[in-house]
Each structure stands twice: as C-alpha cells, then as structure tokens.
Amino acid sequence: GATCAADFVMDSEVTLTATPASGSDFAGWSGDCTGTGTCTVTMSQARNVTASFTKTPRLLSVAKTGSGSGAVTSAPVGIDCGATCSASFDDGTSVTLTATPASGSDFAGWSAPCAGTASCTVTMDQTQNVTASFTKTPRLLSVAMTGSGSGAVTSAPTGIDCGATCSASFDDGTSVTLTATPASGSGFAGWSGDCTGTGTCTVTMSQARNVTASFTKTARLLSVAKRGTGSGQVISAPVGIDCGATCLASFDDGTSVALTAAPAAGVVFAGWAGDCTGTGACTVAMDQARNVTATFEPTVTALSITPKSFPTSNADTPLSRLVRKRGAKISVSVSGDALVRFWIRRQPNRKGPKITYSFTRKLTAGDHLVGFTGKLSGRSYSPGRFILRATATDESTGYVSAPASTGFRINR
C-alpha cells in the first residue's frame, strides 16, 4: 500500500502476503515469485516482485417474461438478450440495460432492482438479477351495424358482443372470428370493411380493424287477388301493390300496409277475403306472408223475368198491359243504391217492327221484384223474341253500369 521497497539482511528469507481489498481479487505474483499463495524470497541479491489484483467479477442475469417479445442490451456491452442473457462485469461497474420490444409487442416494465419502463441502471457490487416484461401490443377491433334490420355480432375469442359491446382490444396477431346473428324478422346482408361476404368474418389483429355488419328486414310477400264479375283496382300504401298490373309485392317485416279498393265505373267493391274482411279499409301487418282477395261486382248482378212466355191473339194489346196482365215480374239484384233503367226491345235480326218499352226505378242494394210501368213506342209488338235489359246509375258519381240482360217470348 504505502511502503513498497525495503532492505533486508543478506541471505535472509522474506515472505510476502497479498491481501485483496473488498471488491478485488488477488490474481497472482510475477517477477521473483509466481502463483497465488504467499511469496517467499531469499535475499541473496536484490529482488523484484509484482502482485496483481483484479476487480471481482459480478454476474448480471436478465430474464424476459410476458406474452410479447423483445431484446435487452447493456452498456457497457455484455448483455444482448436475445441470445446472451447473462454476463459478468467488474465489481462496481455501472451497467445500463435497454429494453427494445419487437414489432407487435410493447415493453411493460422492469422488476427489482429496476422499475418503470425507462432504461435500467444497476451497480455491480453484487450479483444482480433483472426481469424485463414484454406484452403483445393491443389492437382495437371496432364493429358497427347498419341497415333496416337488427341483430347481434359476437367474437371468438370473447370481447365483442354487439349489441352492447361493439369494440374490444386483442393481442397483436390474434385471429378473431366474428359471427353475425340476425334478430327475428331480419336477415344478415353481409360484411364490409375488413371483411366481406355473408359467412363468418375472421380478421388477424396485426393492426386496428373496422368491420361493419349489415342487417336488413326480412322481405314478406303480399299477394292480392281479384274476383267477381266486375273490375277494379287495388293499391297499397306504402307503394308496391297496384293491381291492375302489379298484384304481388314484398315489404319489410313488420310494415303496416294499407290496401284500398277502387271499383271501376258501374262496379261496386263487394268486400275483402283472406287476411282482411269487410268492405272498409284493409290494413295488414307484414310479419308473415299475406294473401288478400278483393271482390268487385257490377251494380246489376242478376236480372230475370217471369213468366218467360206470354201468349196472346190480340195484336193491338199494348205490350205493357200484356206483361202486367200476365203477372210478369222482373227480378233484379243490385250491389249498391242506384237508379235502375229497364227497357225491352225486339231481339236483333228478328222479323217485325222495332218496339221499345222502358221505365226507371230507384232501388237500394239487394234483391227486388219490380212490376212493369212505362210507355210503349212502336206500332206493334207482334209476337217474337224480346230482350229485357237493365243498367244502374250511381247518382253520387254518375257511373253507369254495364247492362244485364235476359230474354222472353211473346207467342201468337
């Protein structure tokens, strides 16, 4: 330490002992001694001895943990973990460790004797053990739902349950499968964004992902049919049915569809059948396929005369008196209140002069027996075949129905 040279008596033996300081090790002798034990020299001449002391090596060990990956390096060099995760440094050396996460990972922090996420500096006055934690980078998956329908989207592994939870984070690289489940009355129309098609959607979470699920209302078919001998049109609100031409249309599940019947001139709407009844407005809820029938009838629905034959030998008897005398009655049915005109004329292409006989009656909807009134025009009714006809006029609209007709005969 202080006195490193001294004189000794000739031929005396001198023993040297090396004592390392704390944190140092005795490495050995050189010169007139070797080895690491005590050094004994005979002073038969001047002697030179060198004692070598080295710093005590201190072991630094690094471990890595967590779901992620990365590397830890040291300054001064020695640790490169990855491959080299332990190294010895001279006692007292200040070693700085730096953690570098791999792509798709994050550095989560150190364990004692270091803490936090900054670089870690340790003094190598003893063996040291340090752990670096790496986690997978969280990647955000966002799900949106669109369209007129409704439903839910769930994920495997769990995280998304949309409905309520439409975004969740997954470890980088995770394969996430999304499943779309339409609600009752809806259908799944497909994916957009980071998925396409209508099957399950699988995304790899190497980055943030956005997926949209489209749900549409289930299409429900409304069928309209028309029956009866009259004509008319049925239309819908909302638009779709215009029957007439378009008697089938699809509507979104749950839609309330109002049907309106519009009879043609001289025709009355006789009522609904199927999923509607009565003669008022027809409204159907399209929670399933629906079938509706509209019946249209002409205003005069039946016409007959009894008896069907009138024998006579008097050609001068007026036709009106003839049919009255014989007790003739006209049976007529009308489907609405109307002014009904009756007339008789000789059947076309038959021999004999033209004869016209007509009268009118106001009738309510229903069946009626009508007696003969009115005037005869023409010189003679001579025997032959005659036609009885009737038309009905709706006095509120002026519509005139198509004629109904029947025949009878006057015999000589």
Side-chain angles (χ1 to χ4, degrees), residues 164-185:
T165 306
C166 296
S167 61
S169 292
F170 297 88
D171 286 346
D172 180 87
T174 301
S175 178
V176 180
T177 298
L178 297 175
T179 301
T181 305
S184 176

Side-chain angles (χ1 to χ4, degrees), residues 62-216:
V62 174
K64 296 186 294 183
T65 188
S67 59
S69 59
V72 178
T73 57
S74 69
V77 295
I79 298 291
D80 188 359
C81 180
T84 306
C85 295
S86 62
S88 292
F89 297 88
D90 286 346
D91 181 87
T93 301
S94 179
V95 180
T96 299
L97 298 174
T98 301
T100 304
S103 176
S105 294
D106 295 321
F107 177 55
W110 306 101
S111 62
C114 288
T117 56
S119 58
C120 162
T121 300
V122 291
T123 300
M124 297 304 298
D125 53 2
Q126 61 180 337
T127 298
Q128 300 283 9
N129 294 281
V130 177
T131 299
S133 179
F134 295 93
T135 57
K136 290 281 192 180
T137 302
R139 304 295 189 184
L140 185 64
L141 174 57
S142 298
V143 173
M145 296 191 295
T146 188
S148 60
S150 57
V153 177
T154 56
S155 69
T158 59
I160 297 290
D161 188 358
C162 181
T165 306
C166 296
S167 61
S169 292
F170 297 88
D171 286 346
D172 180 87
T174 301
S175 178
V176 180
T177 298
L178 297 175
T179 301
T181 305
S184 176
S186 293
F188 177 55
W191 304 102
S192 60
D194 285 310
C195 279
T196 57
T198 56
T200 56
C201 159
T202 300
V203 290
T204 300
M205 298 305 297
S206 56
Q207 60 181 351
R209 300 288 186 184
N210 294 280
V211 176
T212 298
S214 179
F215 296 94
T216 57

Side-chain angles (χ1 to χ4, degrees), residues 19-368:
T19 304
S22 175
S24 293
D25 295 322
F26 176 56
W29 306 101
S30 64
D32 287 313
C33 279
T34 58
T36 57
T38 56
C39 166
T40 300
V41 291
T42 301
M43 295 306 295
S44 58
Q45 60 180 357
R47 298 290 185 183
N48 293 283
V49 176
T50 299
S52 178
F53 295 91
T54 59
K55 290 280 191 180
T56 302
R58 303 296 188 185
L59 183 65
L60 173 58
S61 298
V62 174
K64 296 186 294 183
T65 188
S67 59
S69 59
V72 178
T73 57
S74 69
V77 295
I79 298 291
D80 188 359
C81 180
T84 306
C85 295
S86 62
S88 292
F89 297 88
D90 286 346
D91 181 87
T93 301
S94 179
V95 180
T96 299
L97 298 174
T98 301
T100 304
S103 176
S105 294
D106 295 321
F107 177 55
W110 306 101
S111 62
C114 288
T117 56
S119 58
C120 162
T121 300
V122 291
T123 300
M124 297 304 298
D125 53 2
Q126 61 180 337
T127 298
Q128 300 283 9
N129 294 281
V130 177
T131 299
S133 179
F134 295 93
T135 57
K136 290 281 192 180
T137 302
R139 304 295 189 184
L140 185 64
L141 174 57
S142 298
V143 173
M145 296 191 295
T146 188
S148 60
S150 57
V153 177
T154 56
S155 69
T158 59
I160 297 290
D161 188 358
C162 181
T165 306
C166 296
S167 61
S169 292
F170 297 88
D171 286 346
D172 180 87
T174 301
S175 178
V176 180
T177 298
L178 297 175
T179 301
T181 305
S184 176
S186 293
F188 177 55
W191 304 102
S192 60
D194 285 310
C195 279
T196 57
T198 56
T200 56
C201 159
T202 300
V203 290
T204 300
M205 298 305 297
S206 56
Q207 60 181 351
R209 300 288 186 184
N210 294 280
V211 176
T212 298
S214 179
F215 296 94
T216 57
K217 290 280 193 181
T218 302
R220 304 296 190 184
L221 184 66
L222 174 57
S223 301
V224 173
K226 296 187 296 181
R227 71 182 181 188
T229 56
S231 59
Q233 185 178 22
V234 178
I235 57 175
S236 68
V239 295
I241 297 290
D242 188 356
C243 179
T246 306
C247 298
L248 297 172
S250 292
F251 297 88
D252 285 347
D253 180 88
T255 301
S256 179
V257 180
L259 296 176
T260 301
V267 174
V268 295
F269 174 57
W272 304 103
D275 286 309
C276 281
T277 57
T279 57
C282 165
T283 300
V284 290
M286 297 304 297
D287 52 1
Q288 60 181 339
R290 297 289 185 181
N291 295 279
V292 175
T293 298
T295 299
F296 296 95
E297 297 290 358
T299 307
V300 179
T301 57
L303 180 68
S304 64
I305 185 171
T306 55
K308 300 286 285 183
S309 178
F310 303 96
T312 182
S313 58
N314 186 350
D316 296 326
T317 302
L319 179 60
S320 57
R321 187 184 303 167
L322 171 64
V323 294
R324 283 199 301 272
K325 183 178 179 181
R326 299 294 297 174
K329 292 289 185 182
I330 298 171
S331 298
V332 61
S333 296
V334 290
S335 53
D337 296 352
L339 180 66
V340 181
R341 177 173 180 261
F342 300 91
W343 77 97
I344 296 173
R345 66 181 180 85
R346 187 181 295 278
Q347 190 167 328
N349 302 320
R350 297 290 179 174
K351 293 181 179 180
K354 293 181 179 179
I355 296 178
T356 301
Y357 172 75
S358 64
F359 64 96
T360 58
R361 294 283 294 274
K362 282 190 175 182
L363 300 176
T364 58
D367 300 329
H368 300 271

